[in-house]
C-alpha cells in the first residue's frame, strides 16, 4: 500500500507526514491486500485567518472497485487527520465486506441454477439371500 501525502497552502513537515502515514497504516492495516494506493491531501482553507479551516481529504483506490473519498474539516489538523482515518477505515471495511458478501450471494445463486443430479432408481438393487430380501447400495 502506497501512501502519498500532499499539502496545499500549508507547510508539510516530516513529522506531519510521518504522523499521517502512521495513522493511516494503523487504520487500514487489516485491509492491506485490497488497497492499491492512498492519497492524502492536507489543506489550510483560510490560511492564517484561523477558524475551522484545516481540511484533510483521503482518497483510497481499492482493487476492482471505485475510489473511496473521505473529507474532514476541523480546527486542528491532527484531529482532522484522526477523524478522517477512522472514517476511512470504517468505509473501506464496509465496502470490502459488501463485495465479499455479494460474491457469496452470487456463488449461491449459481449453485441453485445448476441442474441437480437425479438419482436413478437402479442404484438400489434387491438381492435375495438365505435370510430374505435386502437392498444393497
Amino acid at each position: 500500500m502506497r501512501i502519498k501525502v500532499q499539502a496545499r497552502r500549508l507547510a508539510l513537515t516530516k513529522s506531519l507526514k510521518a504522523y499521517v502515514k502512521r495513522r493511516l497504516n494503523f487504520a487500514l492495516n487489516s485491509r492491506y491486500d485490497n488497497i492499491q494506493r492512498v492519497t492524502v491531501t492536507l489543506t489550510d482553507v483560510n490560511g492564517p485567518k484561523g477558524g475551522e479551516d484545516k481540511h484533510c481529504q483521503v482518497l483510497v483506490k481499492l482493487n476492482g472497485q471505485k475510489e473511496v473519498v473521505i473529507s474532514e474539516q476541523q480546527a486542528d489538523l491532527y484531529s482532522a487527520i484522526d477523524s478522517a482515518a477512522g472514517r476511512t477505515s470504517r468505509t473501506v471495511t464496509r465496502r470490502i465486506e459488501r463485495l465479499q458478501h455479494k460474491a457469496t450471494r452470487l456463488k449461491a445463486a449459481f449453485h441453485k441454477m445448476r441442474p441437480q443430479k437425479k438419482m436413478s432408481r437402479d442404484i438400489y438393487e434387491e438381492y435375495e439371500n438365505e435370510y430374505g430380501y435386502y437392498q444393497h447400495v
Side-chain angles (χ1 to χ4, degrees), residues 5-7 9 15 26 31-32 45-46 48 52-53 65 69 75 88 91 95 100-101 104 108 118 120 126 134 137:
V5 182
Q6 302 171 345
R9 296 185 225 138
S15 62
F26 179 75
R31 301 298 182 177
Y32 184 81
V45 178
N46 292 337
E52 270 196 35
D53 65 340
Q65 285 192 334
V69 180
T88 302
T91 305
R95 275 268 179 102
Q100 290 171 346
H101 184 65
T104 305
K118 293 185 179 181
S120 62
E126 291 185 7
Y134 70 96
V137 179

Side-chain angles (χ1 to χ4, degrees), residues 10 16 19 42-44 50-56 72-84:
L10 181 70
L16 183 60
Y19 181 77
L42 305 172
T43 310
D44 188 3
E52 270 196 35
D53 65 340
K54 306 298 190 271
H55 187 260
C56 177
E72 191 66 38
Q73 188 166 348
Q74 293 189 7
D76 183 36
L77 187 60
Y78 287 94
S79 62
I81 293 167
D82 289 340
S83 180

Side-chain angles (χ1 to χ4, degrees), residues 41-130:
T41 306
L42 305 172
T43 310
D44 188 3
V45 178
N46 292 337
K49 294 179 186 176
E52 270 196 35
D53 65 340
K54 306 298 190 271
H55 187 260
C56 177
Q57 180 181 9
V58 181
L59 184 135
V60 180
K61 175 63 179 147
L62 298 172
N63 294 331
Q65 285 192 334
K66 293 182 179 180
E67 296 175 340
V68 175
V69 180
I70 302 293
S71 294
E72 191 66 38
Q73 188 166 348
Q74 293 189 7
D76 183 36
L77 187 60
Y78 287 94
S79 62
I81 293 167
D82 289 340
S83 180
R87 286 181 55 205
T88 302
S89 175
R90 289 189 301 274
T91 305
V92 167
T93 301
R94 189 172 58 240
R95 275 268 179 102
I96 292 170
E97 286 175 354
R98 281 183 187 167
L99 184 66
Q100 290 171 346
H101 184 65
K102 184 177 181 181
T104 305
R105 285 193 333 254
L106 286 174
K107 185 177 178 181
F110 283 129
H111 183 68
K112 287 180 183 177
M113 290 173 51
R114 187 171 32 165
Q116 298 292 326
K117 293 181 182 177
K118 293 185 179 181
M119 298 195 56
S120 62
R121 295 184 184 259
D122 60 350
I123 291 177
Y124 299 102
E125 299 176 1
E126 291 185 7
Y127 293 96
E128 183 179 356
N129 62 10
E130 63 234 319

